[in-house]
Amino acid sequence: MRGLARLAVYASCAKDYYTIVGALRRRGLPFLSLTPDRRLPRWVRVVVVPSRDAGKLSLPPEVKLIEVEGDDVELIPIKAKLALQGKELFAELLVGIDPGETCGLAVLGDLDLVDYGVYRDVGRLKRYLDLLLGASLSRRTLIRVGGGSPKHRDRVLSALPSLRGVEVEVVDESQAVEVLPMLIEGVPRDVASAVRIALKRGSRLRLNE
């Protein structure tokens, strides 16, 4: 299936290449590698490159170029999925967080699981959310936090006040919401819980309005 991948990677520096490739492999996204002398296959629709290499490729107008620099590497999977769907923006991002000793994170773009993670450090979770919201990838973003454990819930909520203008809800986890099995297939249990939280309406909070 690699030959049919609609996503390609080009980097002149080995370190840049393996950084990008690592992010794609962690999310199971198929891709092919480009070299300067390799013709771009006609089925490729998205090319990921380090910003320093962006001017080295000549691409047809129908191919989307994603430039990566610094911390942007964490958003490669979600940006790639957005581009592969032929969209400039998601209509809605639902961000589910399952608080606990480890926090599960699920990001649903127009009800498709586009990124996820498990965090032991709330600071790292907050850093990811800062990157995600700063990238402006959707018309609307709603963060939903599970309320099962008040201690862990409050630990997560305490990291959110600096996210100005973001809608935040606390979700009652006592009644599970049904999700399509394909949406949570193969993901860690904390992430599966975060998906369910993202899909369930909660009680609205107001942060720094």
Side-chain angles (χ1 to χ4, degrees):
M1 293 297 292
R2 182 177 291 273
L4 297 179
R6 296 189 300 140
L7 179 66
V9 175
Y10 173 78
S12 60
C13 169
K15 181 179 179 181
D16 290 340
Y17 174 80
Y18 287 112
T19 296
I20 293 172
V21 165
L24 295 174
R25 284 177 174 163
R26 281 193 295 274
R27 294 296 175 263
L29 289 172
F31 64 91
L32 59 86
S33 300
L34 297 179
T35 58
D37 57 349
R38 180 175 183 178
R39 181 187 295 271
L40 185 72
R42 65 181 183 279
W43 54 80
V44 169
R45 288 294 173 264
V46 180
V47 177
V48 184
V49 300
S51 293
R52 72 181 85 185
D53 290 331
K56 298 178 181 179
L57 295 177
S58 178
L59 302 175
E62 66 271 16
V63 175
K64 173 74 172 181
L65 185 69
I66 298 177
E67 298 182 35
V68 179
E69 185 172 9
D71 291 338
D72 284 352
V73 66
E74 292 196 46
L75 298 180
I76 290 175
I78 189 170
K79 287 183 176 181
K81 289 184 177 181
L82 177 64
L84 287 170
Q85 292 178 21
K87 300 176 180 178
E88 292 296 324
L89 293 172
F90 292 110
E92 181 178 62
L93 281 180
L94 297 175
V95 181
I97 301 174
D98 180 32
E101 293 297 334
T102 57
C103 294
L105 170 78
V107 183
L108 279 67
D110 298 337
L111 300 182
D112 179 35
L113 183 61
V114 293
D115 205 2
Y116 61 86
V118 177
Y119 296 84
R120 294 185 178 277
D121 179 7
V122 172
R124 289 190 61 197
L125 171 61
K126 166 65 164 51
R127 177 173 166 271
Y128 175 87
L129 293 174
D130 283 337
L131 289 172
L132 178 65
L133 297 171
S136 300
L137 299 177
S138 64
R139 295 183 180 87
R140 179 189 185 223
T141 300
L142 174 58
I143 297 176
R144 287 174 169 156
V145 180
S149 166
K151 172 187 173 182
H152 295 303
R153 174 203 64 201
D154 291 345
R155 186 165 61 98
V156 170
L157 291 176
S158 68
L160 300 184
S162 63
L163 305 178
R164 292 182 178 274
V166 177
E167 298 176 70
V168 178
E169 294 180 357
V170 174
V171 172
D172 180 1
E173 298 181 64
S174 61
Q175 294 183 336
V177 62
E178 293 295 327
V179 301
L180 293 174
M182 62 180 294
L183 203 57
I184 56 175
E185 183 179 3
V187 303
R189 184 168 61 179
D190 288 341
V191 172
S193 296
V195 170
R196 294 185 175 92
I197 289 168
L199 292 172
K200 187 176 182 182
R201 291 186 179 182
S203 300
R204 182 68 55 86
L205 298 181
R206 295 182 181 275
L207 301 178
N208 281 345
E209 294 185 346

